[in-house]
Amino acid sequence: VTNCNFNNNNKIQKLFLGSSLKSISNNPNNKSYSSDLYIKNLKQWFEMSISSNMVGSTTTLYLGQIEAVRDPNKGNQIDHYLWDKLEGAGDYAGQGTRVKVTLPMINEALKEVTEIKNYACIKMTQLEGKLVIPDNITNIGSSVFAACTGLTGELVIPNSVISIGNDAFSGCTGFTNIEIPDSITSIEYGMFYKCTGLTSIEIPNSVTSIGSDAFNGCGQLTSDIILPNVTSISNNAFMDCQLIQKIDIGENITSIGT
């Protein structure tokens, strides 16, 4: 589905996305769609290609139209790959149950996919606690967890991840420590932009380029930055990182931005 203008349909309050849908985009000139979004399951959502305009700051994502089976011993119990593993699912919830997506659901659903498409969890401020990225994930898209201010503590990105998109964790103000694996060769622009709670970051020797604004606004970052194999550092990569005392750049550097 392309070029959908839901924004001028002010009476639409709920949008149900069928399980066969693979991509959806909105007019880039419009404001974000801000009504409730209903999907069959989180696996579908992570695998779907969506436009950033489809997720607004007031959008709530629900698991809607849940498939249910009739069990005479248990009533109308949900039979779903997530529900029997998650807190709060409810043994007797009926078909069509709406359950707001929480971080335990996200952590569990990530075990079922290999990549997270762009904007999957952007602006989901209701996600609170530690994000766990399992070692079956190979690709993390752009702005996947951008502005998820409730994510806290340490973020460990496993070696299985070979690419991370721009702005993937920008505005995640609750992270305090981030470990980047040596499977990553490029830190894209804005990847950790304004992660204001970040105090420690481990950048592996495999990294050869750092994009613009990659760590811009990380004002609490105190780690020494050692970059032996980096060939390019783009504009404002470490802007407003006042507490960093040491940045060691190797002999391979060919370009440093403003």
Side-chain angles (χ1 to χ4, degrees):
V1 180
T2 58
N3 295 326
C4 292
N5 186 349
F6 292 105
N7 303 84
N8 292 331
N9 295 304
N10 295 327
K11 293 185 178 181
I12 295 179
Q13 296 181 353
K14 301 176 182 180
L15 178 63
F16 290 84
L17 305 180
S19 59
S20 61
L21 190 63
K22 300 299 183 184
S23 66
I24 184 168
S25 63
N26 204 0
N27 189 327
N29 296 318
N30 289 326
K31 296 180 180 179
S32 297
Y33 178 82
S34 58
S35 297
D36 294 345
L37 292 174
Y38 292 75
I39 57 168
K40 186 175 180 181
N41 57 55
L42 284 173
K43 183 176 185 293
Q44 175 197 357
W45 183 254
F46 285 141
E47 294 176 338
M48 187 185 301
S49 177
I50 65 170
S51 165
S52 61
N53 284 4
M54 287 306 301
V55 184
S57 58
T58 59
T59 298
T60 300
L61 180 65
Y62 292 97
L63 299 182
Q65 298 298 303
I66 305 299
E67 293 181 348
V69 295
R70 174 64 65 179
D71 184 325
N73 297 318
K74 298 182 179 180
N76 204 23
Q77 185 179 26
I78 288 176
D79 181 21
H80 189 273
Y81 83 99
L82 278 176
W83 295 89
D84 61 349
K85 303 175 184 177
L86 299 176
E87 295 181 0
D91 288 341
Y92 301 98
Q95 187 170 3
T97 298
R98 306 191 321 169
V99 178
K100 189 175 181 179
V101 173
T102 63
L103 186 58
M105 292 180 179
I106 296 293
N107 286 338
E108 190 68 26
L110 289 178
K111 299 175 183 178
E112 306 289 337
V113 297
T114 58
E115 63 178 316
I116 313 172
K117 291 295 183 70
N118 300 345
Y119 313 111
C121 298
I122 188 174
K123 300 178 183 177
M124 287 190 182
T125 55
Q126 77 270 22
L127 304 181
E128 297 180 346
K130 182 176 180 179
L131 174 66
V132 179
I133 301 177
D135 59 10
N136 50 283
I137 300 295
T138 59
N139 296 281
I140 298 173
S142 299
S143 301
V144 166
F145 294 103
C148 290
T149 54
L151 299 178
T152 57
E154 181 183 38
L155 173 65
V156 178
I157 303 171
N159 277 309
S160 59
V161 176
I162 58 174
S163 69
I164 305 173
N166 57 272
D167 295 304
F169 301 100
S170 66
C172 291
T173 56
F175 287 137
T176 56
N177 177 50
I178 296 176
E179 294 184 15
I180 303 172
D182 56 15
S183 53
I184 296 298
T185 60
S186 176
I187 297 178
E188 301 296 336
Y189 69 84
M191 188 179 293
F192 302 107
Y193 175 70
K194 289 194 175 180
C195 289
T196 54
L198 187 63
T199 60
S200 175
I201 185 82
E202 294 185 22
I203 302 176
N205 293 344
S206 57
V207 170
T208 59
S209 66
I210 298 178
S212 59
D213 296 308
F215 298 97
N216 187 345
C218 295
Q220 299 301 311
L221 188 59
T222 58
S223 298
D224 290 345
I225 305 299
I226 312 298
L227 307 171
N229 298 312
V230 167
T231 60
S232 66
I233 302 174
S234 297
N235 297 345
N236 304 321
F238 294 97
M239 183 177 180
D240 291 334
C241 294
Q242 301 95 329
L243 298 183
I244 295 177
Q245 297 186 10
K246 178 181 179 180
I247 298 180
D248 190 342
I249 303 173
E251 297 180 355
N252 296 317
I253 192 72
T254 59
S255 173
I256 297 179
T258 57

